[in-house]
Amino acid sequence: MNIITISREFGSGGRELGKRLADLLGYDYYDREIITTIAAQKGLDEGYVEKALENHAWQTIPLTFRHSFASANMMQQAQTDLLVAQKRVVEGIAKAGRSSVIVGRNADVLLADKKPFSIFVCAEMDAKIRRCMERAEKGENLSRREIENNIRRIDRSRAKNREMIANGKWRDCGTYHLTINTTDWSIKELAPAVAEFASRWFRR
Amino acid sequence: MNIITISREFGSGGRELGKRLADLLGYDYYDREIITTIAAQKGLDEGYVEKALENHAWQTIPLTFRHSFASANMMQQAQTDLLVAQKRVVEGIAKAGRSSVIVGRNADVLLADKKPFSIFVCAEMDAKIRRCMERAEKGENLSRREIENNIRRIDRSRAKNREMIANGKWRDCGTYHLTINTTDWSIKELAPAVAEFASRWFRR
């Protein structure tokens, strides 16, 4: 069983790379499925679970509530429950014993004992903004500045989430086996190169 | 003409990777040759040129001398001359028009207009110390602590040298096309994987 994990900057194309890698290698692919499973298990709304895990639940409640110690405490408890549920779902993927690509969720840390091949995907800000604009849904008319702010906000959350559970810092090249800058590639051309590289890693 | 540049943490195996890549791809290989050429051109000692370029000449002269404005000024001038000479030598390699692997010297920045494939090589500290110990010359009996201090000192110099001429930070994954952590590979197994990856980059 081979596991490839992908951490990524928002807008860098990490998710598309993961999907293509799974297709090329014939691996299972996990991304949103993890959120869906947690939401189903907990009987919670998928959007809430996603937001709570990405942004730290306690940051999303109004400041006035945070001043109430009991509420803050409850939110932290809910957050911890979700993190435990997430850990179990990711471990469950590995237990199934099938080769997989897992995008996000710090799966490389959660599955460290399974020796996954861990990839980090980054790109220059302009390239990330362009990608977000191309993928924007109809009617979504964010300015470049708004998109850039979103990217920075989401990446700050990802960095914090990683800090909570890992020793190495998010985005630090020493933390992953391979770090890929997608700025000058199309993901379609890049994916077979990464698939070959990862195959050699597992054969070594 | 394809150019691959390699920046690296001291002890990470970047030089060995560069040599093997050049062998596998049939490219020319440049590393110490650049220092040798500068030294010959300037009629200077090779060791001096290397130290001056890696450590900033002005840092290597005694503090008492640095207080003399004229001396400090002269040393800075000498440093600038060497940096200009280095730039010309690296540009000369590209002008020769042959596919090459260039290790160090911030060649990816100096040759940015030639669109090199830029690699950064890193490794965990323990792996770097082990590599340095294996490669130590006979009679060289540095402790682990001394080796670690050397690694940190040399890498600080490399970071500073890069800051002088580049926008992006040394070691920042957004600055290179590919960043490779050699901790869990032998360079011999890693090199063909990187050679394939780079070939796909140049064919894209």
Side-chain angles (χ1 to χ4, degrees):
Chain A
M1 176 190 59
N2 302 332
I3 295 176
I4 298 175
T5 62
I6 298 188
S7 303
R8 75 285 184 218
E9 291 178 354
F10 188 78
S12 66
R15 181 178 288 190
E16 186 189 336
L17 176 62
K19 188 83 195 70
R20 286 185 183 274
L21 276 182
D23 286 346
L24 286 165
L25 295 165
Y27 287 12
D28 289 349
Y29 173 77
Y30 294 95
D31 174 11
R32 264 216 87 73
E33 295 76 5
I34 297 168
I35 301 285
T36 312
T37 307
I38 299 169
Q41 282 177 355
K42 295 274 169 190
L44 292 167
D45 176 69
E46 228 178 283
Y48 166 79
V49 171
E50 185 173 25
K51 204 160 186 176
L53 284 170
E54 284 275 342
N55 294 330
H56 306 287
W58 61 270
Q59 290 179 337
T60 63
I61 52 169
L63 207 61
T64 45
F65 275 91
R66 272 193 247 162
H67 288 191
S68 145
F69 180 77
S71 295
N73 218 15
M74 274 167 62
M75 291 307 288
Q76 281 196 353
Q77 189 55 50
Q79 161 97 0
T80 306
D81 283 355
L82 286 177
L83 285 169
V84 172
Q86 172 172 272
K87 186 164 182 290
R88 290 208 183 121
V89 172
V90 172
E91 285 169 350
I93 293 170
K95 269 197 198 122
R98 294 168 56 85
S99 291
S100 309
V101 175
I102 307 175
V103 175
R105 326 256 68 95
N106 293 307
D108 55 327
V109 181
L110 298 178
L111 300 178
D113 60 327
K114 300 288 185 293
K115 310 250 176 253
F117 181 62
S118 62
I119 298 175
F120 187 82
V121 183
C122 65
E124 284 172 15
M125 185 53 83
D126 278 354
K128 292 187 286 188
I129 293 173
R130 214 179 310 126
R131 174 174 289 273
C132 289
M133 283 180 152
E134 285 164 10
R135 316 212 137 210
E137 289 176 25
K138 275 200 176 152
E140 189 184 304
N141 282 314
L142 296 179
S143 69
R144 283 183 64 86
R145 169 59 64 92
E146 286 167 324
I147 292 173
E148 182 170 344
N149 286 344
N150 274 350
I151 292 171
R152 291 191 193 282
R153 183 179 49 76
I154 293 169
D155 283 352
R156 270 198 305 274
S157 289
R158 291 183 178 171
K160 271 201 177 176
N161 276 332
R162 187 158 191 103
E163 251 176 57
M164 267 197 304
I165 64 162
N167 292 323
K169 272 196 172 173
W170 186 79
R171 202 181 178 283
D172 183 284
C173 61
T175 309
Y176 313 93
H177 293 118
L178 192 70
T179 303
I180 304 163
N181 185 336
T182 60
T183 305
D184 297 327
W185 291 75
S186 79
I187 306 291
K188 200 179 165 182
E189 288 165 325
L190 170 64
V194 181
E196 274 181 24
F197 197 98
S199 299
R200 281 188 179 267
W201 163 270
F202 290 116
R203 281 204 307 272
R204 85 194 189 291
Chain B
M1 177 190 60
N2 301 333
I3 296 177
I4 297 175
T5 63
I6 298 188
S7 304
R8 74 287 184 217
E9 290 178 355
F10 188 78
S12 66
R15 182 179 287 188
E16 186 189 335
L17 176 63
K19 187 82 195 70
R20 286 185 181 274
L21 276 182
D23 286 346
L24 287 165
L25 295 165
Y27 288 11
D28 289 349
Y29 173 78
Y30 294 96
D31 174 12
R32 266 216 85 74
E33 296 77 5
I34 297 169
I35 301 285
T36 311
T37 307
I38 299 168
Q41 282 177 355
K42 295 272 168 191
L44 292 168
D45 175 67
E46 229 177 282
Y48 167 78
V49 171
E50 186 174 24
K51 203 159 185 174
L53 284 171
E54 283 274 342
N55 295 330
H56 308 286
W58 62 270
Q59 292 179 335
T60 63
I61 52 169
L63 207 62
T64 44
F65 275 90
R66 272 194 245 163
H67 289 189
S68 145
F69 180 77
S71 293
N73 218 18
M74 273 168 60
M75 291 308 288
Q76 281 197 352
Q77 187 56 49
Q79 162 98 1
T80 306
D81 283 355
L82 285 177
L83 284 170
V84 171
Q86 172 171 273
K87 186 166 185 290
R88 289 207 184 119
V89 172
V90 172
E91 286 169 350
I93 293 170
K95 266 194 198 123
R98 293 170 56 86
S99 290
S100 308
V101 175
I102 308 175
V103 175
R105 326 256 68 94
N106 293 307
D108 54 327
V109 181
L110 298 177
L111 300 178
D113 61 327
K114 299 288 186 292
K115 309 248 176 257
F117 181 62
S118 62
I119 297 173
F120 186 82
V121 183
C122 65
E124 283 172 16
M125 184 54 83
D126 277 353
K128 292 187 287 188
I129 293 173
R130 214 179 311 127
R131 174 174 289 273
C132 289
M133 284 181 152
E134 285 164 10
R135 317 213 137 210
E137 290 176 25
K138 274 199 177 156
E140 189 185 304
N141 282 315
L142 296 178
S143 69
R144 284 183 64 87
R145 170 59 64 93
E146 286 167 323
I147 293 174
E148 182 171 343
N149 286 344
N150 274 349
I151 292 172
R152 292 192 192 281
R153 183 180 48 76
I154 293 170
D155 283 352
R156 270 199 304 275
S157 290
R158 290 183 179 171
K160 270 200 179 175
N161 276 333
R162 185 156 192 107
E163 251 176 55
M164 267 200 302
I165 65 162
N167 292 324
K169 274 197 171 171
W170 185 79
R171 203 181 178 283
D172 183 286
C173 61
T175 309
Y176 313 93
H177 293 119
L178 193 70
T179 303
I180 303 162
N181 184 337
T182 60
T183 305
D184 296 328
W185 292 75
S186 79
I187 306 292
K188 200 178 166 184
E189 289 165 325
L190 171 64
V194 181
E196 275 182 23
F197 197 98
S199 300
R200 282 188 179 266
W201 162 269
F202 289 117
R203 281 204 306 273
R204 86 196 188 288

